[in-house]
Structure formats: C-alpha cells, structure tokens
Amino acid sequence: MECLYFSASRCRSCTQMTVPYARQLQAKVEDCQNLLSGFDSLKFLPAQASNEQGFRNKAKMVISGTTENPTIGILDTEGHGIDLRNCGVIAPTLRSLLPVIERFIKELKLIPYDVPKRKGELKHVILTLSDTGAVMVRWVLRTKKHFVALRDSLPQFLEQLPHRSVVSVNFLPEHKAVLEGEEEIILTRRTTLEFGLNGVPMHLRPQGFFQTNTEIAAALYRQARQWINDVDPESVWDLYSGVGGFALHCAGENRTVYGIETSSEAVAAAQTSVQSLELTDAHFVAQDATEFALNAGWAPDALIVNPPRRGISAELSAWLNDSDIQHVIYSSCNAKSLARDLERLGNYTPQLARVMDMFPQTDHYEVIVKLERKAA
C-alpha cells in the first residue's frame, strides 16, 4: 500500500506502511511465536490476514482550522491541524462522508477548536461504519453553543447518511488529550448502530467499544465459537465482554452464557442483542471481571477472556488457575501481557494459537489462544 501522507511525513501513524503486507504478517507471527516460545505444547494455526487498506471501520477525526477552511484529520506536534480525509486505511464509505462533514461545518458555522489557543467549539467527529452499511456520526463539542444548530439540521444531515444511521453529540468541556466526554445526547430515534457479523446481530451505543476491523473481528468470533462448540460446554463466561461478541457467538440451546463488562453502555447494547436473538439463557452484567469471578460462588465449564492491553489481573489469574474450569480461550491484543498471564496459568496447557491481523500497517495484532486444564 502507498500513502502520500506517509511519504510526505505528514502522518506516521502507520509505522509499517513501507513494508510489503506479506512481510508484515510474517513478522507478526514470528514476534508472537517468539514471545510465546516458552510453551512447547503450543501450535500455531495459519494467521488470519486482513485487507491491507480500507479496513478501519472507525475514523476518529480531529477538527481544526477555521469554519471556512476546516482540517479533518490529526494535529501536529504544535497542535495545528493536518488534513487526512483521504487516509487509505479508513473505509471508503467513511471517507466519502468527510466532504459532507465539511459542508455542514461551513453551513452551520461551526467553530473548530483551536488547541494552542484553547478556543472554539467543535473538537472531533467520530465515525463508525457497520457491516450493514449504516454509520454512526458523533459530533464532539466543547460546550452546548452549537448543539441547537446540529439538532435542528438533523433531517438534512440524515439525508446524506446511509439508512439506519445514528447521530449524537458528545460534550468534552475539558482541555485534555481525550476523544470524548461523559455527556452524550443521541439525536436520532435509533440509538444503536447494528452489526450483523456471522449472522449474529450486535449493537453499538455511542460510547461503546467495537473492534476497528470488522472482517477480522468476524473471523475472531468464528474461531472462538468453533473452539467452544468443539468441547460443547454447558456454561460459558465471557469476561471483558464489550458488546458481547464472543458471548453472543457462543450462546445456544442448552448452554448458559454470561458476559461481564464494566461499561454499562456496552452491557445495554448486548442486552438488546439478546432480545433480538430471543435468547433465554444469555446474561450480561455490568461489573469488574475480577470482582465477578471471585464473588460468583460458581465457575463455568469454559471461560473466554478478552482483556485490555494490560492483560488479566494477578488475582484473576490465581483464581482461574485454582478453579475447576476445563477450557479457556484467551483473546489478546498484547502478546507480552499474554505471555505473562500464560506463565501464571500453570495448571493449563496452551494448545493452539492464531494471529489475527486486526491492525495492518502497524506492529500491533490480536492473537487468540486455546488452553485446556491439565489432568490432575
């Protein structure tokens, strides 16, 4: 893949842009194999490749410049805008909406936020694309100064968006390097962006998390579902469940499934999926994963963990190691913390691993591992 922004040193986010994709993927497999080399029992399945461009279903665009000439992209080291509206890793559908965003900025006279001066109103526009073709557009404002203009323009704005799209306004009054604030007002009647990965409906609320590469997320869920169905447990926990991707894919008749996630927004989205699938024994709880496990009073037949980059806690590792759970699937976005956690889980044998290339053009990747409890 070639990128004029990278060549001109305007954006260096994709650190592997000049490396041929096949070599990128092989390097990730070798890195993962090296980090997990202490486990002789572990066999690697063929890596799951991604499209090398247009794969990002989410565009987190900083708005800078002026109302008459806004930049849509990122900031340089001095806080000035760099326009990246033709970024090649962003899905084409999202790129096609950026001129619409620019037009509404101009027509509504929205004032871009000036980071060095700490003045202005419109900070970011966050776009997410569903595999159904619908999008979610989130306007991030400093105050409510432009809120009425955005609310009143909604009918015209929706005419420019795909069917079943969602529009919201988020408020970030503080001057700090984060994307969004706590307060969010959804302008559309529809409150969730629906995905249909592998025929499983999933719902994303504005402040929820979803994997940024839809194709690889679908493959990741299929792999976990296959491993779960191979052992056919009666009960499954999905810790750090997000909007319920793993849990919903593994739910089924005669199987109890629990998804545990700290985000109440994500839990509400997962519960919407449960209702649409008419599942009678799938449950989602807004709670810390470690706290839930240590206080549940029972353990499932199989466990799926998909923690953040820091991995699972020492307390959760110890509880899991001493439990009678037979089957564990660990999905990780950081093979270094994964290696540490597998060392802690000495009562389990890592059997299979598969690198899933969630983040082409970078050093990052996802890896999913299947573990089995050692015989007593």
Side-chain angles (χ1 to χ4, degrees):
M1 176 181 169
E2 294 185 3
C3 175
L4 295 178
Y5 298 124
F6 187 90
S7 301
S9 296
R10 292 179 61 79
C11 175
R12 291 284 177 162
S13 298
C14 295
T15 57
Q16 300 299 302
M17 183 62 70
T18 59
V19 180
Y21 181 66
R23 196 183 305 168
Q24 290 183 36
L25 188 58
Q26 183 59 34
K28 293 178 182 185
V29 172
E30 291 173 356
D31 180 69
C32 191
Q33 289 174 336
N34 180 59
L35 289 169
L36 303 182
S37 60
F39 305 97
D40 296 336
S41 59
L42 188 59
K43 296 181 180 179
F44 277 77
L45 298 175
Q48 176 65 58
S50 169
N51 289 322
E52 60 179 292
Q53 57 187 357
F55 59 84
R56 282 193 63 93
N57 62 25
K58 190 170 187 177
K60 299 174 284 189
M61 311 304 279
V62 179
I63 309 300
S64 191
T66 64
T67 300
E68 297 75 22
N69 188 28
T71 62
I72 303 176
I74 60 174
L75 299 179
D76 63 18
T77 55
E78 296 180 350
H80 300 124
I82 298 175
D83 200 280
L84 296 180
R85 67 184 70 192
N86 292 313
C87 172
V89 299
I90 295 174
T93 297
L94 296 184
R95 293 203 304 269
S96 72
L97 293 177
L98 298 180
V100 177
I101 298 297
E102 179 183 27
R103 186 164 69 251
F104 272 79
I105 290 173
K106 293 178 177 179
E107 291 179 357
L108 300 180
K109 295 181 170 50
L110 307 182
I111 305 169
Y113 186 68
D114 188 313
V115 171
K117 294 180 180 179
R118 301 192 177 193
K119 294 182 178 179
E121 295 296 323
L122 178 58
K123 293 187 171 184
H124 310 121
V125 173
I126 304 173
L127 308 171
T128 305
L129 173 67
S130 165
D131 59 337
T132 67
V135 298
M136 179 183 290
V137 180
R138 303 173 62 208
W139 301 89
V140 182
L141 304 178
R142 183 175 67 91
T143 71
K144 290 185 168 63
K145 180 176 180 178
H146 291 323
F147 173 72
V148 173
L150 285 169
R151 183 195 63 193
D152 291 349
S153 70
L154 180 65
Q156 294 76 28
F157 190 52
L158 284 175
E159 289 179 357
Q160 307 300 313
L161 302 182
H163 184 54
R164 302 172 69 86
S165 292
V166 179
V167 181
S168 70
V169 178
N170 180 276
F171 299 98
L172 177 59
E174 301 88 357
H175 179 83
K176 57 183 180 180
V178 295
L179 274 175
E180 60 191 39
E182 294 183 3
E183 184 181 1
E184 186 117 15
I185 299 176
I186 301 176
L187 301 182
T188 48
R189 185 172 299 177
R190 186 175 301 277
T191 60
T192 66
L193 182 66
E194 183 173 351
F195 288 76
L197 275 66
N198 306 312
V200 177
M202 290 188 287
H203 294 264
L204 177 67
R205 297 178 69 86
Q207 292 185 312
F209 169 79
F210 197 86
Q211 300 282 9
T212 58
N213 188 324
T214 305
E215 174 192 16
I216 301 302
L220 186 67
Y221 297 144
R222 287 195 303 271
Q223 183 65 77
R225 179 171 61 187
Q226 177 189 324
W227 285 345
I228 288 293
N229 287 342
D230 284 347
V231 297
D232 195 22
E234 292 185 1
S235 55
V236 179
W237 287 358
D238 175 10
L239 302 185
Y240 312 94
S241 60
V243 296
F246 287 110
L248 293 168
H249 274 76
C250 295
E253 191 174 352
N254 300 319
R255 181 179 294 163
T256 300
V257 172
Y258 275 81
I260 311 302
E261 166 61 44
T262 57
S263 168
S264 58
E265 289 287 309
V267 167
Q271 289 170 337
T272 300
S273 298
V274 169
Q275 293 171 3
S276 63
L277 287 167
E278 298 182 347
L279 297 172
T280 58
D281 210 358
H283 316 274
F284 288 88
V285 180
Q287 192 174 349
D288 174 76
T290 300
E291 179 183 316
F292 176 86
L294 269 57
N295 294 289
W298 67 284
D301 300 318
L303 178 75
I304 301 171
V305 290
N306 182 31
R309 290 189 61 81
R310 64 178 178 272
I312 64 177
S313 66
E315 294 83 358
L316 182 56
S317 297
W319 174 86
L320 177 55
N321 206 40
D322 294 338
S323 73
D324 59 358
I325 297 173
Q326 297 300 305
H327 314 283
V328 175
I329 294 174
Y330 193 134
S331 179
S332 171
C333 60
N334 182 1
K336 292 182 180 179
S337 60
L338 169 65
R340 178 206 65 204
D341 292 343
L342 294 185
E343 287 285 355
R344 290 171 171 172
L345 298 175
N347 289 335
Y348 289 89
T349 300
Q351 294 183 326
L352 296 172
R354 190 177 189 189
V355 169
M356 318 290 284
D357 195 12
M358 192 76 70
F359 314 102
Q361 314 303 340
T362 75
D363 292 324
H364 301 294
Y365 55 87
E366 195 98 5
V367 58
I368 186 169
V369 180
K370 177 184 178 185
L371 302 95
E372 297 291 327
R373 177 167 287 277
K374 294 178 181 178

